[in-house]
Amino acid sequence: MGIKLIKISVVYFVIGVLLGLYMSMTGQYIYTGVHAHINLLGWTSMTLAGILYLIFPKASMSGLGKIHFWLHNISLPIMMVGLFFVLAGNIHLLPLVSIGGIGVVLAVIVFALNIFKNVKVEE
């Protein structure tokens, strides 16, 4: 899971940087929230989770690790696409933001449970 999280996080990094470049070049900063969430929840958080999973393989191989991986990687794009279009004026897609957001929160909770359960000093 660790390597997969790190590789996917790099995709989010590229998307976040490209969105930042677009906003800078056009002077339109309405997508700042999308840019920030992609970089924080996609690039940074996933990279750190991937590193932790590499350091603590028991957490990576656990059922909680797999649930975290899939829930995070399904929910975040749903939330980001929804937020992008809501900020562009399509408020009918607001449920996507809510559904994706709840999924990301659940993924983070599962990650936290996994860390508390499976990250221990090996004796």
Side-chain angles (χ1 to χ4, degrees):
M1 277 314 135
I3 298 294
K4 288 180 183 178
L5 278 167
I6 292 169
K7 286 183 176 183
I8 291 172
S9 76
V10 171
V11 173
Y12 283 110
F13 186 38
V14 170
I15 293 167
V17 168
L18 288 173
L19 182 56
L21 178 63
Y22 167 78
M23 290 187 305
S24 295
M25 292 175 70
T26 62
Q28 297 178 2
Y29 296 96
I30 62 168
Y31 300 114
T32 301
V34 178
H35 169 72
H37 281 85
I38 286 174
N39 284 321
L40 180 59
L41 293 172
W43 163 238
T44 308
S45 297
M46 285 182 153
T47 298
L48 290 172
I51 292 168
L52 284 171
Y53 284 164
L54 287 174
I55 295 171
F56 300 99
K58 184 177 177 185
S60 176
M61 292 185 271
S62 72
L64 290 172
K66 290 174 179 62
I67 292 168
H68 164 241
F69 175 86
W70 286 109
L71 191 55
H72 199 126
N73 281 293
I74 291 168
S75 300
L76 185 57
I78 291 170
M79 184 173 84
M80 292 298 88
V81 168
L83 184 57
F84 183 89
F85 285 108
V86 166
L87 292 173
N90 188 343
I91 60 167
H92 295 96
L93 293 179
L94 192 56
L96 287 180
V97 181
S98 300
I99 292 166
I102 291 167
V104 170
V105 168
L106 292 173
V108 170
I109 291 169
V110 168
F111 174 69
L113 291 171
N114 190 20
I115 295 301
F116 283 115
K117 180 179 179 186
N118 293 307
V119 172
K120 299 174 183 158
V121 176
E122 298 295 326
E123 296 177 18

